[in-house]
Amino acid sequence: MFTPRCAAIAALTCLTALAAPLATAQDKVLNLYSARHYQTDEALYADFTKATGIKINRVDADDAGILTRLKSEGASSPADVILLVDAARLWRAETEGLFQPVKSKLLEARIPAGLRGADTGQGSSWFGVSTRARVVVYNKTSVKRDDVDTYEELADPKNKGKVCTRSGSHPYNLSLFGSVMEHLGPQATETWLQGMVGNMARAPKGGDTDQIKAVATGECQIAVTNTYYLARMMRSGKPDDQQVIDKVGVVFPNQQSWGTHVNIAGAAAAKFAPNRAAAVQFLEYLASDSAQAYFADGNNEWPVVKGVNLTNPALTAMGAFKSETIPISVVGMNQGKVQQILDRVGYK
Ligand code: FE
């Protein structure tokens, strides 16, 4: 329908005019609210559209922003799938009734039960799609590996003035602390967090990458980070990043006891999903071999599906490790208590 009149005016205007009537009610769409802040995810979404013809409309916000938005939209929310990057947030959204259960033989077969939300017989309320470990990084010239190979030692007086972290209230830290509470109990966790505050080299600020850099420059000596931030720098061709990586050591803590804390990114069908079938199709796509390999290669996370081939050199270099075995949703249940402790001990 390329009319001469159309050809005479600006091409872009013309394309817009032609494209608009094509967006009919039969068009297959999926409205995705995503807290994944990784540019490399574009390929993941594009592959889904290519395979299914379902167009993805994406709303990007952080976990808290997405939850607030869902609550204010209520039953008129256009959201079909919610993608969050923290187990405690997934648990919160589940308990606040923002998700609907999905029963899928494929998802049950591929995603381990401990990495799924509650199942009351109608299916699981959410599904972990990738994992990331929360590890310790240290300055190799000033810190001995033995002094930081447990989370407990972050609070040890021998590490006074050496520790830096992002905000204690950031979901990644709340979930780590919630996990520690599950292993040590509330009392010991409070003592531990008090000790960590006492060991700070500086007030908490920045993101995980900023902590890794601060360890390299010597502004602090010991920090915690999610593994994918570290892997991203390991694979970076930038000389600045290489210099940082050369200076820091990495420890998977608590290998002799309960294992390293592992958090997840997870997805769920929204309670009022207008395109439910597409939502289920997308959830199943996220558990496919290709999407799982993508999480590993694109964003340096570990697949949740067993047997997916790892070709990521940074993940391979980090090696195998023992991870904790608690059901991941307990970090959500502990979160209220953790926040109260943080307020008491002054961990900003
Ligand atoms: Fe992140």
Side-chain angles (χ1 to χ4, degrees), residues 37-38 172 228-229:
H37 49 91
Y38 323 115
Y172 300 157
Y228 59 86
Y229 293 111

Side-chain angles (χ1 to χ4, degrees), residues 223-241:
V224 289
T225 179
N226 282 355
T227 35
Y228 59 86
Y229 293 111
L230 200 59
R232 197 182 290 166
M233 292 181 97
M234 288 165 77
R235 293 174 77 187
S236 159
K238 292 184 193 153
D240 288 1
D241 288 339

